[in-house]
Amino acid sequence: MLIVAALYHFTRFPDPAALKHPLAQLACSQGVKGSLLLAPEGINGTIAGPRAGIDAVLAHIRALPGCTDLEWKEAQAETMPFGRLKVRLKREIVTMGQPDVDPLARVGHYVEASEWNALISDPDVAVIDTRNDYEVAIGTFEGAVDPGTRAFGDFPAWWEANKERFHNKRIAMFCTGGIRCEKSTNYLLGQGIDEVFHLKGGILKYLEEVPQEQSLWHGGCFVFDQRVAVGHGLQPTGHVMCHACRRPLEPADLSRPEYEHGVSCHHCLSEFDDARREGFRERQKQIALAEARGALHLGR
């Protein structure tokens, strides 16, 4: 079994570019793959590999400036869920586009997974899903508000247009692993909302700890690797990904006439022209040839 570790940590990196090569070199030497983002505000990513390799990379990250108390979430996978390792430099580790937002200054009240059901069942609490629309479409918490945003950077405009709906409400927010809520709760506090809460560890921690029979979660939780989505116990749900638009699909969606493996689905059939789809077909052909050789095509 391979270990999948999802992590983020806000801290000050004066020179994130200097951290990139040593981190990438270590991860590659340990057989660790996945995606890590480095920015002046910290680190974010998901990696997978053997136990010893994951331990080595996590120890390296904990030794970075301000990362001693790094937390992460683990799951297991029978096969490697990533094709390669990517260590990238970004302006933000999660893009909100609000320069005044600073999770290191203050955030909302953390709520443990074991206490989340009681909070969101309170009629005086409005529950807001801060994820993108395609993520919400396959699963969310009972009674949660879906902002319908296509990107996290759209959230401030949505709030400005809808804030009157939440007058005199306490606000509870959640996301996949918790990172978006670090910023969205700081944003709402800056907008004058006093009682703001967020699910500590995100949906993944909730699905790991809360028994299914007690759960208020419905559906799958989208994850950014080849598992596509997980459910209770962090077990894969059977969702697949459209490799044209990167949206998750239910198994039944593969029978729809719009679906062509690696080329299109009912979400994106009208989004790409014939030339783009022909390019997707060629990529899928190369992926199939690589698999026949026992290799993994990097375009996957």
Side-chain angles (χ1 to χ4, degrees):
M1 297 293 288
L2 297 170
I3 305 300
V4 181
L7 61 97
Y8 74 86
H9 191 73
F10 285 98
T11 187
R12 307 293 187 201
F13 287 153
D15 186 9
L19 307 178
K20 178 180 176 180
H21 180 69
L23 180 57
Q25 188 175 44
L26 173 66
C28 287
S29 71
Q30 295 290 329
V32 172
K33 298 179 181 181
S35 178
L36 291 167
L37 305 180
L38 291 165
E41 66 181 10
I43 186 170
N44 177 29
T46 304
I47 53 175
R51 175 78 270 170
I54 293 295
D55 287 346
V57 173
L58 292 175
H60 179 92
I61 295 173
R62 288 199 303 273
L64 297 178
C67 291
T68 304
D69 56 350
L70 173 78
E71 295 184 5
W72 65 93
K73 290 171 286 295
E74 291 189 1
Q76 293 185 332
E78 294 184 0
T79 59
M80 172 58 72
F82 298 103
R84 55 181 168 168
L85 174 72
K86 295 178 285 186
V87 181
R88 294 176 173 173
L89 299 176
K90 294 285 188 177
R91 293 182 180 179
E92 301 177 70
I93 56 174
V94 58
T95 303
M96 194 179 198
Q98 297 289 314
D100 293 333
V101 166
D102 182 8
L104 289 173
R106 57 175 181 166
V107 295
H109 302 287
Y110 290 107
V111 180
E112 299 288 346
S114 60
E115 300 170 349
W116 183 249
N117 285 357
L119 175 68
I120 67 173
S121 298
D122 188 323
D124 292 329
V125 172
V127 188
I128 301 177
D129 194 329
T130 66
R131 299 172 303 150
N132 298 340
D133 52 5
Y134 65 89
E135 299 172 79
V136 181
I138 65 168
T140 192
F141 280 106
E142 190 174 297
V145 175
D146 174 13
T149 49
R150 298 196 67 178
F152 187 46
D154 298 335
F155 181 82
W158 174 84
W159 174 260
E160 185 62 29
N162 291 273
K163 59 185 179 182
E164 295 304 322
R165 295 168 52 187
F166 306 103
H167 183 63
N168 289 333
K169 290 281 189 178
R170 294 187 293 159
I171 305 296
M173 311 176 85
F174 65 92
C175 58
T176 306
I179 186 170
R180 292 187 184 191
C181 292
E182 303 281 354
K183 285 194 169 183
S184 59
T185 59
N186 177 271
Y187 174 77
L188 287 194
L189 289 169
Q191 298 297 304
I193 308 301
D194 295 325
E195 293 194 89
V196 185
F197 304 83
H198 55 128
L199 176 57
K200 186 176 181 180
I203 301 162
L204 295 179
K205 193 66 173 176
Y206 182 92
L207 293 176
E208 178 184 7
E209 293 189 353
V210 176
Q212 185 168 359
E213 60 271 18
Q214 299 174 17
S215 176
L216 296 180
W217 173 265
H218 301 289
C221 176
F222 183 81
V223 290
F224 297 86
D225 59 58
Q226 292 180 24
R227 295 173 298 166
V228 184
V230 297
H232 290 89
L234 302 182
Q235 295 300 307
T237 58
H239 286 81
V240 297
M241 182 180 290
C242 172
H243 290 287
C245 67
R246 314 300 292 178
R247 292 185 179 98
L249 303 174
E250 302 277 356
D253 292 333
L254 307 189
S255 301
R256 296 177 67 134
E258 303 94 336
Y259 180 75
E260 181 179 348
H261 183 54
V263 177
S264 64
C265 71
H266 64 287
H267 295 298
C268 68
L269 186 64
S270 62
E271 293 181 0
F272 304 112
D273 58 22
D274 290 342
R276 289 289 303 278
R277 283 196 291 273
E278 192 56 40
F280 294 151
R281 289 190 182 95
E282 179 59 29
R283 180 186 63 184
Q284 192 59 39
K285 177 182 176 181
Q286 295 303 318
I287 290 173
L289 291 172
E291 289 178 345
R293 298 192 304 269
L296 185 63
H297 189 271
L298 293 183
R300 187 64 178 269

